[in-house]
Amino acid sequence: MAQVTKDMTIGEIIMVDQGIIPILLGSGMHCIGCPSSQGETLEEAAMVHGMDGDALLAAINEYLAAKN
């Protein structure tokens, strides 16, 4: 089963499963295609956007677990 960690970049996370994009967009992270998102970790992006990185990580991993 695929799993995401906070130290993975947004670009790496999207490569795991493009179905994660709506989760990121729905949480308010609208810069998915922005160049900095390719090198920014989930933890860094959450901090910059004032989000709870742990909650976002949990939502992504719950989505991935439900696919299996």
Side-chain angles (χ1 to χ4, degrees):
M1 169 180 82
Q3 199 164 28
V4 169
T5 63
K6 287 194 292 189
D7 64 332
M8 292 174 73
T9 65
I10 300 299
E12 290 171 332
I13 291 169
I14 292 170
M15 288 189 334
V16 168
D17 188 314
Q18 290 201 351
I20 295 171
I21 293 172
I23 298 169
L24 296 172
L25 292 173
S27 71
M29 197 173 292
H30 297 117
C31 60
I32 303 305
C34 128
S36 66
S37 73
Q38 298 303 305
E40 198 170 48
T41 67
L42 180 64
E43 185 171 41
E44 291 167 339
M47 186 175 17
V48 166
H49 290 86
M51 300 175 179
D52 181 347
D54 292 326
L56 184 55
L57 179 64
I60 292 169
N61 283 323
E62 286 171 17
Y63 161 78
L64 293 172
K67 289 188 72 174
N68 292 326

